[in-house]
Amino acid sequence: MTTSRRQTEGQAEGVATYLQVPHRLDLGPLATPQRVLAIGAHPDDVELAAGATLARWVRHGAATTVLVATDGRGGTWDPALDPAELAARRATEAAAAAHLLGASLVLLAVPDGTLAKARILAWRLAFWIRQCRPDVVLTHDPVHPGRLHPDHRAPGE
């Protein structure tokens, strides 16, 4: 397998950065921050992307907040499903997941699919960053080549 010039210089496909690491990488223990804010575009984004890390940090004493930006009403392919009913169900599921993690939950409830156009999003995120005063913020990578959904890109930016 050959390595392209773009990969060795840090760019592949023009957007994603790849790091070359040795075959065995001993990072040692994962440090636990005191305060964590995990921001996801949709209900379940945070849990799927970082749930295990958050659970570990909570277990070791980190005060953790999960912020969900949208209401999740667009998360189905079923045209017969009522969007308001889906949003309510996903809010309930997000609350249950946060409880299992031992995290606080913030639901901004911006309509699904509109984060890129939500002019107030930056202000609301800044407010919660100031409220939580996190040592670590986890959110979407705004340039990941396979995840260019506008709702994912907006909080990452």
Side-chain angles (χ1 to χ4, degrees):
M1 182 169 155
T2 61
T3 303
S4 75
R5 184 170 99 3
R6 293 171 94 177
Q7 287 173 318
T8 58
E9 293 177 2
Q11 294 295 312
E13 312 230 355
V15 289
T17 300
Y18 293 87
L19 300 175
Q20 291 189 359
V21 294
H23 178 68
R24 294 191 71 174
L25 183 63
D26 181 15
L27 297 176
L30 181 62
T32 301
Q34 289 184 337
R35 292 175 307 277
V36 178
L37 175 60
I39 302 169
H42 307 102
D44 77 18
D45 285 348
V46 167
E47 296 86 345
L48 290 172
T53 300
L54 294 176
R56 179 179 177 171
W57 283 343
V58 167
R59 186 173 67 239
H60 288 92
T64 301
T65 302
V66 172
L67 184 147
V68 179
T70 70
D71 61 9
R73 69 179 49 233
T76 184
W77 295 106
D78 183 356
L81 190 58
D82 176 44
E85 179 184 320
L86 179 60
R89 181 183 334 153
R90 294 192 77 192
T92 300
E93 291 170 351
H99 177 74
L100 285 173
L101 283 172
S104 301
L105 177 66
V106 174
L107 298 171
L108 296 184
V110 174
D112 202 356
T114 67
L115 276 187
K117 299 176 204 136
R119 302 177 107 181
I120 192 101
L121 178 64
W123 289 94
R124 293 174 85 182
L125 293 180
F127 171 82
W128 283 105
I129 290 169
R130 288 183 182 121
Q131 286 292 114
C132 298
R133 301 184 52 79
D135 300 306
V136 173
V137 175
L138 303 177
T139 193
H140 299 280
D141 178 350
V143 296
H144 189 285
R147 300 179 187 265
L148 294 179
H149 185 298
D151 280 351
H152 291 177
R153 189 173 41 240
E157 288 176 342

